[in-house]
Amino acid sequence: MLIFLTLILVLALITVVYIQQPQFGKHPEGARLALIEKSPHYKDGRFRNLVEKPTISEGYSMMGEIYKILFKTYPSRQPVDSLPSVKTDLRQLPLDSNLAVWMGHSTIYLQVNGKRILVDPVFSGKASPLPWGVKAFKGSNIYSAADMPEIDYLIISHDHYDHLDYESIVQLKDKVKQVICGLGVGAHFEYWGYDSSHIIEKDWYQKVEIDTNFVIHTEPTHHDSGRGFARGRTLWMSYLIQTPEMKIYISGDGGYDTRFAEIGKKYGPIDWAIIEDGQYDKAWQSVHNLPEEVSQAAIDLQARNVIPVHHSKFTLGKHPWTEPLERITALSEGKSYKLQTPMIGQPVILTDSTQSFQQWWKGIN
């Protein structure tokens, strides 16, 4: 018993020391925390979803899911082969072209009305703060911070490691003019060396005015946040980019609910919807879309074109790695929107909905 208690104490001490490393970020405090406490979405020391639901679905348990992940085997969760890609030189793209370049998982580079926008950059090749944690699939991590041009707006959906990557954020610091993120997330950026004057933190239902008739609206999603052991200290977001010619919705992470229909009613029709589709499970359906919910969300949003993301880079769910693409492709047949599935690095011209992309995942082992 003494040996067991000693081991527990040693592990606890190692954990306490380890989470002091900078990649775990910083909790909001001082004036930032005071502002957070005024938010109608913050209660009893944490942010809340609009409709609170348990993270783990009825009939499942957290311990049961941890057991499955640690001790059960699920087939084809990652490819054996290297993924195909196109490494587009972002610096050579004409700035007056409206386009999107998906870089695997949820990382998207956008050029919209002369502005360069980067969403949830993860270039470190990992989705975990642990050195032995989740690694990127072969061929999926072709871009680095060094490949990025100067970024006008860096947009962060929430502070989970697979969306807010410490190494990438530090390496991008001198290229980023402005950061747009949810309340509290700015504490991480300041801790990592960003000037507070370059950080725009917002609550849901607010906006950032970029230019005349060019606005980024901040909208809710149903998810969570946290680095280390604390949850809900920072706000999770979705975004609607609106210009005179185009509307682009970025879903961030989050399970299906009525917000998609509400956003569609408020802004629709939406030209491009970039929606999370991957790393889902019936057990945590409340916080991640199932593919059929992605399809319904696109209809609710009145989306004309859909780019599914949150897949094909990391193994964070139990499903086969190709399943999100296969299911959303089948579900999208005959629907009111057009599904667009570029391979990593392949430019999507946002002014040309006649583009078509191959099912590049076919035939990869």
Side-chain angles (χ1 to χ4, degrees):
M1 178 61 72
L2 181 61
I3 293 172
F4 176 74
L5 290 174
T6 302
L7 285 172
I8 292 296
L9 179 61
V10 169
L11 286 172
L13 288 171
I14 290 171
T15 301
V16 168
V17 171
Y18 189 78
I19 63 173
Q20 303 308 309
Q21 294 186 86
Q23 64 262 37
F24 290 92
K26 196 83 168 176
H27 294 314
E29 57 187 24
R32 176 175 279 111
L33 180 58
L35 180 64
I36 285 171
E37 289 172 339
K38 293 177 182 178
S39 169
H41 310 115
Y42 190 85
K43 181 182 177 183
D44 297 332
R46 60 159 295 161
F47 284 103
R48 307 284 172 169
N49 286 301
L50 294 175
V51 177
E52 294 197 57
K53 294 183 277 188
T55 299
I56 297 296
S57 305
E58 186 177 351
Y60 299 86
S61 70
M62 183 65 78
M63 290 306 298
E65 292 309 301
I66 291 172
Y67 175 85
K68 290 175 188 176
I69 290 169
L70 291 177
F71 299 108
K72 286 201 166 188
T73 301
Y74 297 90
S76 306
R77 293 175 71 205
Q78 62 184 37
V80 176
D81 300 337
S82 182
L83 299 191
S85 62
V86 176
K87 190 166 183 181
T88 299
D89 188 342
L90 306 180
R91 293 190 183 88
Q92 298 303 313
L93 295 170
L95 192 53
D96 61 354
S97 56
N98 291 313
L99 52 84
V101 178
W102 173 62
M103 300 178 181
H105 203 58
S106 294
T107 304
I108 287 267
Y109 171 82
L110 297 165
Q111 284 185 186
V112 183
N113 281 34
K115 300 296 183 184
R116 293 185 175 103
I117 299 169
L118 184 61
V119 181
D120 289 356
V122 179
F123 302 131
S124 68
K126 58 189 181 185
S128 165
L130 304 174
W132 59 85
V134 180
K135 297 292 196 299
F137 299 162
K138 287 187 292 184
S140 70
N141 199 46
I142 63 169
Y143 281 98
S144 69
D147 296 317
M148 297 302 109
E150 189 174 70
I151 301 299
D152 294 295
Y153 294 94
L154 173 60
I155 292 179
I156 301 296
S157 65
H158 64 297
D159 71 358
H160 284 158
Y161 301 103
D162 58 320
H163 293 260
L164 182 62
D165 179 45
Y166 164 70
E167 291 178 25
S168 302
I169 296 303
V170 170
Q171 291 165 3
L172 285 166
K173 183 168 69 72
D174 294 333
K175 295 185 176 186
V176 173
K177 294 180 182 179
Q178 296 284 325
V179 176
I180 301 176
C181 57
L183 289 174
V185 177
H188 300 309
F189 279 88
E190 283 193 26
Y191 181 51
W192 296 334
Y194 280 65
D195 192 297
S196 60
S197 64
H198 298 164
I199 303 168
I200 303 169
E201 290 177 77
K202 292 292 184 181
D203 204 338
W204 296 334
Y205 309 120
Q206 295 183 337
K207 63 183 179 181
V208 180
E209 295 187 359
I210 306 302
D211 207 339
T212 305
N213 298 321
F214 186 167
V215 180
I216 298 179
H217 300 273
T218 59
E219 293 290 330
T221 180
H222 187 102
H223 200 54
D224 204 343
S225 65
R227 301 170 82 87
F229 297 111
R231 294 174 57 204
R233 301 283 186 88
T234 64
L235 188 57
W236 43 99
M237 311 285 277
S238 66
Y239 297 91
L240 192 287
I241 301 172
Q242 184 173 23
T243 74
E245 300 83 22
M246 190 178 304
K247 282 171 275 190
I248 304 167
Y249 177 66
I250 301 166
S251 77
D253 279 7
Y256 180 81
D257 62 16
T258 60
R259 75 182 181 280
F260 293 111
E262 291 162 3
I263 291 168
K265 184 177 179 180
K266 188 174 178 181
Y267 301 107
I270 290 170
D271 298 284
W272 292 86
I274 300 167
I275 307 179
E276 175 214 22
D277 172 40
Q279 321 318 319
Y280 50 77
D281 196 286
K282 282 280 189 181
W284 54 83
Q285 185 176 352
S286 70
V287 291
H288 287 288
N289 294 315
L290 301 179
E292 51 267 36
E293 294 171 323
V294 176
S295 179
Q296 186 58 53
I299 294 168
D300 292 350
L301 289 164
Q302 302 175 48
R304 293 182 171 124
N305 299 276
V306 172
I307 301 175
V309 298
H310 210 247
H311 58 80
S312 303
K313 190 164 186 174
F314 301 115
T315 299
L316 300 171
K318 301 193 291 287
H319 57 69
W321 76 271
T322 59
E323 184 182 288
L325 287 164
E326 290 171 348
R327 286 179 64 184
I328 192 60
T329 297
L331 288 160
S332 298
E333 290 182 8
K335 294 297 193 297
S336 56
Y337 60 88
K338 182 175 181 180
L339 185 70
Q340 308 279 12
T341 54
M343 70 175 68
I344 291 171
Q346 192 172 12
V348 179
I349 307 304
L350 300 177
T351 53
D352 181 11
S353 61
T354 65
Q355 270 187 294
S356 60
F357 299 93
Q358 294 179 334
Q359 295 182 16
W360 55 265
W361 58 92
K362 295 290 188 183
I364 300 175
N365 296 313

